[in-house]
Amino acid sequence: MRIWAATAVLASSWLISGVICSEPINATSVVVENVISSPVPTNTKQITVSKAEFGLKRVDSKGNVTILQTTRVPLQEGNAYGWRIKLKDYQGEVKWREVLRLPKPPETWGTDRGEDFSMSPDGMTSVTRRTQSAPEGVIENFWTITPGDPVGKHRIEVYINDRLIGTFEFEIIPVK
């Protein structure tokens, strides 16, 4: 009984100080949740990915967006490429972060949605943060090829709550 009481006291102090993350991950967290009488925050649900895809963005005549899956993106002005991630059993808003790494700096960087956007001092990495409504658990982001974009190997990492949920490696290739 002393071990259980000590565990509950220690775990409670960790919760108060923020040492235990918001996602229950072990038996100690479960015991503490049963001991503490305050409600558990709704954002503690583990977010899992049911599907992740990357490729060229295609829009049909009705405005429906599909992704032509590929890891080779032709360097052709106007081509749009990106990712779509389906979250399992999730609805509501999602705060995500995307890290895009390029082989060398492009001539220009920019976004057209006014989101939280920053880039590294060397100009080869950008970070985009967005809060996106995901009524069916789908989040996505696309980039459009513009003059001065570099050819070569690129990498996109997508995070939710600082947890990596998707990595996409691809190559921008010259058009012959």
Side-chain angles (χ1 to χ4, degrees):
M1 187 64 165
R2 282 186 183 163
I3 293 173
W4 180 85
T7 302
V9 170
L10 186 57
S12 295
S13 67
W14 285 344
L15 281 174
I16 291 168
S17 67
V19 171
I20 294 180
C21 66
S22 64
E23 301 174 8
I25 56 173
N26 61 36
T28 305
S29 296
V30 173
V31 170
V32 172
E33 284 179 27
N34 292 334
V35 171
I36 297 174
S37 61
S38 63
V40 176
T42 57
N43 65 351
T44 62
K45 182 179 177 185
Q46 175 76 20
I47 293 177
T48 57
V49 173
S50 64
K51 183 178 182 182
E53 56 187 338
F54 175 87
L56 292 169
K57 178 181 179 181
R58 298 292 184 236
V59 182
D60 67 17
S61 60
K62 296 179 183 177
N64 298 318
V65 176
T66 58
I67 295 179
L68 174 63
Q69 293 190 38
T70 183
T71 57
R72 296 171 55 85
V73 176
L75 181 67
Q76 184 174 13
E77 188 174 351
N79 265 351
Y81 62 89
W83 53 267
R84 177 182 290 156
I85 297 175
K86 170 80 170 126
L87 306 173
K88 183 177 180 182
D89 301 324
Y90 190 91
Q91 293 184 350
E93 282 193 339
V94 177
K95 289 183 181 182
W96 55 260
R97 174 173 49 103
E98 174 199 74
V99 179
L100 170 59
R101 300 179 203 287
L102 308 178
K104 66 180 190 177
E107 288 182 14
T108 61
W109 271 110
T111 64
D112 57 359
R113 291 187 166 171
E115 59 262 299
D116 183 351
F117 174 82
S118 61
M119 70 177 147
S120 64
D122 66 5
M124 294 182 6
T125 303
S126 73
V127 177
T128 303
R129 288 178 173 82
R130 189 179 301 157
T131 299
Q132 182 175 349
S133 176
E136 296 180 23
V138 176
I139 58 174
E140 61 186 20
N141 194 40
F142 297 96
W143 291 89
T144 303
I145 299 284
T146 59
D149 283 355
V151 296
K153 294 183 185 217
H154 292 55
R155 179 182 174 108
I156 292 177
E157 297 170 344
V158 181
Y159 297 83
I160 295 178
N161 299 328
D162 291 325
R163 188 173 138 245
L164 181 65
I165 63 160
T167 300
F168 306 98
E169 294 183 346
F170 59 101
E171 185 173 10
I172 303 289
I173 58 171
V175 177
K176 297 178 183 180

